[in-house]
Amino acid sequence: MEFRNLGRSGLKVSEISYGNWLTHGSQVEEDAARECVRAALDEGVTTFDTADVYAGTRAEEVLGRALEGQRREGLEIFTKVYWPTGPGPNDRGLSRKHVFESIHGSLRRLRTDYVDLYQAHRFDYETPLEETLRAFDDLVRQGKVLYVGVSEWRAEEIERALKIADEMGFDRIVSSQPQYSMLWRVIEEEVVPLSEREGIGQIVWSPIAQGVLTGKYKPGQPLPEGSRATDDKGGADMIKHYLNDDLLTRVQELGPVAADLGLSMAQLAVAWVLQNPNVSSAIVGASRPEQVRDNVKAAGVKLDADVLKRIDDILGPVVIRDPGKTRSPERRP
């Protein structure tokens, strides 16, 4: 396993992070989830990403139990706050009340005294940004949070937060967690240049594009049983915009590129995002331990310029680049 700094901070994270968004507590039984976590640990993964909302808070519980007994100082545990975790109007968003109540719930479920990174899971237009940043800063001062970050924020929103932090003496954002893959490159035009200037590192999710970049979805063929595309708990909604024959045909053409490099298609996809020097870590999820073992082999892989051009030539017009695709709800859900 290779390690990188999280942005300009001193925190080292594994190039491959293990995430449990659509698996633990939802798609995967707990015994299988534990095996996946064990495989990640065995392969040198030290960075684990979750969120309070995943599987209705169950994902944090499963991860907490799976990591129990590990040396806490040797792990980087990340979680997030924003999406609803209860029925009330204050059980969501980035108000001081919800931020404080959410971190206490997350710490309890994760069975830890602190998280290494606490992330605003979306931008909250109904809460003054100063209120959110002060709440985050207070948690840092209390030792419950070591670093703060954001997920799926636009460049101008990150820039506003940095300006407020500088003016008020708050801890600055050190990370951004966006969707990023060969197919989804919306951060490259605005978020990445800002982040490079300001010392923010990307912890990218869905580097395999919900499994599309593994090549298992074939044009003109039925969806594989048990795949993300057939999941009725959120996975299918996330993947459906990729399931068209033009895109899937182009993805199949990536197979020979991977084969020439001695990589699986999944390894090629993960390695591709790690070529971006602003990426600190790529989050992979798994329903089986062998998927973890396959994906982590992307760590340390170097792709030369000819390979990157070959990929761009194959994917061409199906790549999504519009930074306007990054958006948070205008009102709390």
Side-chain angles (χ1 to χ4, degrees):
M1 181 57 61
E2 303 284 333
F3 294 84
R4 301 183 180 189
N5 284 70
L6 183 55
R8 205 176 289 154
S9 79
L11 182 67
K12 298 281 187 179
V13 295
S14 50
E15 280 192 347
I16 307 297
S17 303
Y18 183 83
N20 70 349
W21 165 37
L22 283 173
T23 51
H24 295 187
S26 177
Q27 290 181 344
V28 177
E29 296 298 328
E30 183 152 352
D31 286 347
R34 285 176 182 269
E35 290 178 9
C36 290
V37 170
R38 170 54 58 188
L41 291 166
D42 289 345
E43 295 292 341
V45 172
T46 60
T47 307
F48 293 83
D49 180 81
T50 187
D52 57 3
V53 72
Y54 293 167
T57 73
R58 294 187 302 278
E60 286 185 326
E61 294 175 356
V62 173
L63 184 61
R65 288 191 289 267
L67 292 175
E68 198 166 21
Q70 297 297 315
R71 180 174 173 269
R72 180 64 183 89
E73 294 82 358
L75 303 173
E76 304 85 48
I77 299 176
F78 301 168
T79 193
K80 314 180 196 71
V81 55
Y82 171 81
W83 295 103
T85 53
N90 288 310
D91 292 324
R92 62 206 68 211
L94 297 177
S95 68
R96 182 177 184 85
K97 176 177 174 61
H98 185 53
V99 166
F100 270 67
E101 291 172 348
S102 181
I103 190 63
H104 293 145
S106 291
L107 294 177
R108 183 178 64 255
R109 291 185 290 268
L110 289 165
R111 303 187 178 200
T112 183
D113 295 328
Y114 67 95
V115 293
D116 298 270
L117 179 70
Y118 201 37
Q119 302 159 96
H121 210 163
R122 290 294 186 275
F123 191 86
D124 183 0
Y125 293 103
E126 295 189 67
T127 300
L129 189 48
E130 293 85 350
E131 177 180 336
T132 298
L133 296 177
R134 185 180 293 279
F136 273 40
D137 194 69
D138 285 345
L139 293 177
V140 172
R141 302 289 161 250
Q142 293 172 13
K144 296 173 183 175
V145 168
L146 303 188
Y147 298 90
V148 295
V150 299
S151 178
E152 293 293 330
W153 281 31
R154 295 174 182 258
E156 61 265 28
E157 294 162 353
I158 296 172
E159 196 164 31
R160 280 179 55 199
L162 293 171
K163 183 173 185 293
I164 291 169
D166 288 344
E167 290 174 349
M168 303 187 74
F170 296 154
D171 266 33
R172 296 177 114 234
I173 293 165
V174 302
S175 68
S176 165
Q177 187 175 132
Q179 181 179 179
Y180 186 51
S181 71
M182 294 179 189
L183 295 171
W184 189 271
R185 308 187 194 182
V186 304
I187 62 171
E188 290 182 342
E189 183 177 333
E190 297 176 356
V191 169
V192 167
L194 171 67
S195 297
E196 289 174 337
R197 291 196 308 270
E198 299 291 346
I200 294 169
Q202 311 301 316
I203 310 160
V204 303
W205 61 274
S206 198
I208 309 174
Q210 307 296 308
V212 170
L213 289 170
T214 66
K216 66 182 176 183
Y217 298 101
K218 305 291 197 301
Q221 295 188 22
L223 300 174
E225 286 298 322
S227 67
R228 181 68 52 81
T230 61
D231 169 45
D232 61 1
K233 297 178 181 177
D237 288 340
M238 292 296 299
I239 199 174
K240 61 185 179 183
H241 64 282
Y242 289 133
L243 301 178
N244 65 80
D245 282 355
D246 180 29
L247 186 149
L248 296 179
T249 298
R250 292 172 183 272
V251 168
Q252 292 301 310
E253 294 174 20
L254 296 173
V257 180
D260 289 348
L261 297 168
L263 301 173
S264 69
M265 289 179 69
Q267 290 163 0
L268 177 66
V270 176
W272 184 90
V273 301
L274 291 171
Q275 304 312 297
N276 188 325
N278 191 233
V279 172
S280 297
S281 188
I283 300 172
V284 301
S287 56
R288 303 187 308 277
E290 54 267 30
Q291 292 173 321
V292 180
R293 298 189 184 101
D294 181 70
N295 290 339
V296 298
K297 291 181 173 63
V301 170
K302 305 301 179 189
L303 305 179
D304 64 32
D306 289 343
V307 171
L308 297 176
K309 183 178 185 304
R310 190 176 169 192
I311 291 169
D312 286 348
D313 289 345
I314 289 169
L315 295 178
V318 302
V319 173
I320 298 170
R321 301 178 184 273
D322 178 11
K325 295 287 185 180
T326 299
R327 58 170 64 94
S328 297
E330 293 183 7
R331 301 188 65 81
R332 296 176 193 162

